[in-house]
Amino acid sequence: MRRRWLGCVGLLIGPWVSGNSFADEIRIAVATNFTAAMSDLVQRFELETEHTVLVSSGSTGNHYAQIKNGAPFEAFFAADAERPRLLEQEGLAVPGSRFRYAVGRLVLWSPEPGYVDDQGRVLENGAFRRLAIANPNLAPYGEAARETLAARGLWEPLTTRLAMGQDIGQAYAFVQTRNAELGFVALAQLRQPGKQIEGSYWIVPESLHRPIEQEAVLLRDVPAARMFLEFAKSSEAHEIIRSYGYEP
């Protein structure tokens, strides 16, 4: 789903701002887990430049396939490091532009207070009907969920009770709408700046899955897109990213 965030026109000079004052429009593919944080980044970027950013959020696997098929994005903020690396190897990204912008955290969550315990034992002991996860073949957070369940010896036992979303946004929606009693989601979907996390949750130890290192890459070397990626590396952007529970 494509969302468009339009900011006010202005020019507050920062270290990442180039001398190009011409307004441009850029299109960025963004992993679903990073949608809220990206909204804040775009708003700040548009306030400080004359450029407009169009954002398309979805699963990293789907975006990767779309880019290979010629989707007209200027940049890609993935939920893993593998797809940006592959795009670079395949000659579909600007060499040397790839960088890590965030490290995500996986959370087992229920909107019901007290439902999920602080060790995730509800996975073994809970009488739930459905456990939501993102598709492990398309979404890195789904892959991390599968690795977590496998590490606990629960992947096979719980396979018939999985409610599988195409991306982490659908997994979150399954739980939020009570179509699944609990599910694996991204911490950033729950941790909004200045707000308490509702319900109950278990932040999955990173020892149970491979790190969720999220990388970005420039797909077309246009000045506005390169400027946005430089902004995403700035201390100003890092503060926003941290506020959503990521490590930049």
Side-chain angles (χ1 to χ4, degrees), residues 27 71-75 92-94 217-223 225-226:
R27 294 151 295 187
F73 297 117
E74 276 75 46
L92 297 174
V94 176
V217 69
L218 190 64
L219 302 173
R220 293 178 61 237
D221 199 357
V222 298
R226 183 172 284 278

Side-chain angles (χ1 to χ4, degrees), residues 46 53 78 101-102 114 152 154 190 195 206 210-211 217:
E46 289 183 336
V53 182
Y101 68 91
R152 298 277 288 257
L154 295 171
L190 306 177
K195 295 182 180 180
E206 293 176 292
R210 285 174 289 180
V217 69

Side-chain angles (χ1 to χ4, degrees), residues 75-78 80-81 84 97-102 214-218 229 232:
F76 180 30
F77 282 69
D80 64 6
S97 66
R98 181 166 54 93
F99 70 99
R100 189 181 77 185
Y101 68 91
Q214 305 190 198
E215 290 193 349
V217 69
L218 190 64
L229 264 65

Side-chain angles (χ1 to χ4, degrees), residues 123-124 128 131 149-150 152-162:
L123 292 169
E124 288 96 349
F128 56 88
L131 169 67
L149 291 173
R152 298 277 288 257
L154 295 171
W155 175 250
E156 292 297 334
L158 294 181
T159 297
T160 59
R161 289 198 264 176
L162 296 180

Side-chain angles (χ1 to χ4, degrees), residues 17-244:
V17 176
S18 75
N20 184 3
S21 61
F22 294 103
D24 206 348
E25 184 176 270
I26 56 175
R27 294 151 295 187
I28 299 179
V30 178
T32 303
N33 74 89
F34 199 68
T35 302
M38 179 59 76
S39 177
D40 280 1
L41 291 176
V42 166
Q43 183 179 30
R44 189 71 60 87
F45 178 76
E46 289 183 336
L47 282 170
E48 299 185 5
T49 73
E50 295 184 338
H51 302 303
T52 298
V53 182
L54 305 181
V55 175
S56 175
S57 63
S59 74
T60 289
N62 279 342
H63 274 145
Y64 171 70
Q66 290 167 6
I67 292 165
K68 290 196 67 173
N69 286 322
F73 297 117
E74 276 75 46
F76 180 30
F77 282 69
D80 64 6
E82 179 184 4
R83 270 75 164 209
R85 178 181 57 79
L86 287 173
L87 289 171
E88 200 172 47
Q89 291 178 351
E90 292 159 352
L92 297 174
V94 176
S97 66
R98 181 166 54 93
F99 70 99
R100 189 181 77 185
Y101 68 91
V103 178
R105 294 300 301 271
L106 184 69
V107 177
L108 181 66
W109 172 66
S110 171
E112 298 297 329
Y115 191 86
V116 176
D117 60 279
D118 62 2
Q119 299 295 320
R121 287 185 292 267
V122 64
L123 292 169
E124 288 96 349
N125 306 329
F128 56 88
R129 295 179 302 104
R130 288 287 182 265
L131 169 67
I133 71 166
N135 187 330
N137 298 320
L138 295 175
Y141 280 81
E143 184 178 6
R146 178 169 60 186
E147 291 174 358
T148 297
L149 291 173
R152 298 277 288 257
L154 295 171
W155 175 250
E156 292 297 334
L158 294 181
T159 297
T160 59
R161 289 198 264 176
L162 296 180
M164 194 171 293
Q166 186 174 15
D167 56 33
I168 200 68
Q170 287 189 356
Y172 176 87
F174 287 152
V175 184
Q176 186 184 44
T177 58
R178 292 355 190 232
N179 286 304
E181 292 92 335
L182 70 170
F184 285 102
V185 301
L187 178 59
Q189 293 173 294
L190 306 177
R191 181 170 288 172
Q192 303 298 314
K195 295 182 180 180
Q196 295 275 343
I197 297 178
E198 297 182 359
S200 53
Y201 63 97
W202 169 54
I203 299 179
V204 177
E206 293 176 292
S207 60
L208 295 180
H209 61 80
R210 285 174 289 180
I212 306 174
E213 295 187 349
Q214 305 190 198
E215 290 193 349
V217 69
L218 190 64
L219 302 173
R220 293 178 61 237
D221 199 357
V222 298
R226 183 172 284 278
M227 187 186 300
F228 185 82
L229 264 65
E230 288 303 312
F231 167 65
K233 299 175 185 178
S234 70
S235 58
E236 183 180 8
H238 287 176
E239 289 181 11
I240 295 171
I241 292 169
R242 284 194 181 93
S243 73
Y244 282 89

